[in-house]
Amino acid sequence: GLEADLAGRHVVVSAGGTREPLDPVRFIGNRSSGLQGYALARTAVARGARVTVVAANVALPDPAGADVVAVGTAEEMRKAVLEAAGSADAVVMAAAVADFRPADYRESKIKKSETAGPAPIELVRNPDILAELGRIRRPGQVIVGFAAETDDVLANGRDKLARKGCDLLVVNQVGPDLTFGRPDNAAVVLAADGASVQVPRGPKEALADVVWDQVAARLG
Ligand code: C5P
C-alpha cells in the first residue's frame, strides 16, 4: 500500500472499548487498548484517505491527520459511527463494543451497605452497530468487522461474518498475553465472497494494511 489507493475516499474506523456505567464511579469495560484501530487509522491516512476515528476510552495520542470523535458508551459509539458512516466509503469496526449494559444507571454511588450480600447486576442488550451497518449500508459501501475469539476461531468467524452481513471479518485469537495492549497481532481476514487471507503475527500496522488492501479491492 505505498500508492495512495484510498485517495478521495472517506473511511470510518472505530477503536478502543466501550465502558458501560453503573454509577458515577463504576463501569463494565473490556481490555481493548485501541492500538489496532489507531494502526488502521494511521495506515488509511498514509494511503490517502480522509479518516474519521470513533474512539472509545483510548489512552493513546491521536493518529495524525485523522478526525477523532471521542465516545464512552456503546450508545454514544452507535450515534457517532452512524453519523460518520453516512458519507463513508468504508467502515471498519475495530472497537470492542459491550454486548450488554447495566439496566439502570444510578445517579449516586452505590453503597456497600445497601444490600446484605452481593447484589446482582441486571443487564440489557446494547445495539449491535456492525449488524446495523450491514443492514443500512449504501450500495458499494464496504463494511468490516473484527471478531475476538478464544475458541473455534475460524468456525465462529465464518458464522459471525454471515450473521452480521459484513464484507470482511478480521478474526483473531485472544487470551492472556495475546493481542490486548500488544503492538503485534495475528489474524485471518475472512471475506463474504469466500476468500480468506492469513496474516502471520506481526505489527498491527501490517494487519491494517492487509485490511485496507482487501477494502480497496472491493471499492467501486
Ligand atoms: O458479536 P461480537 O461482539 O463478537 O462482534 C464483534 C464485532 O461486532 C466487532 O467488529 C465489533 O466492533 C462489533 N460490535 C458492534 N456492536 C456491538 C457488539 C459488537 O458493532 N454491540
Side-chain angles (χ1 to χ4, degrees), residues 72-147:
T73 66
E75 290 279 4
E76 289 166 12
M77 174 163 281
R78 174 180 174 274
K79 191 163 173 283
V81 166
L82 292 184
E83 190 175 314
S87 63
D89 298 291
V91 184
V92 181
M93 287 294 298
V97 184
D99 295 315
F100 300 94
R101 67 177 181 277
D104 301 304
Y105 173 73
R106 296 276 297 269
E107 302 284 346
S108 305
K109 187 182 171 195
I110 301 163
K111 296 289 191 196
K112 193 158 46 192
S113 56
E114 280 179 33
T115 54
I121 297 171
E122 199 189 323
L123 301 175
V124 294
R125 268 204 100 81
N126 269 330
D128 190 320
I129 306 165
L130 181 60
E132 189 169 353
L133 288 166
R135 285 194 300 272
I136 68 174
R137 69 158 100 209
R138 295 191 318 274
Q141 193 176 45
V142 178
I143 307 295
V144 186
F146 269 69

Side-chain angles (χ1 to χ4, degrees), residues 5 7 22 45 63 70 75 78 86 131 141 149 151 154 183 187:
D5 59 352
L22 285 152
V45 169
E75 290 279 4
R78 174 180 174 274
Q141 193 176 45
E149 303 285 348
D151 307 283
L154 281 185

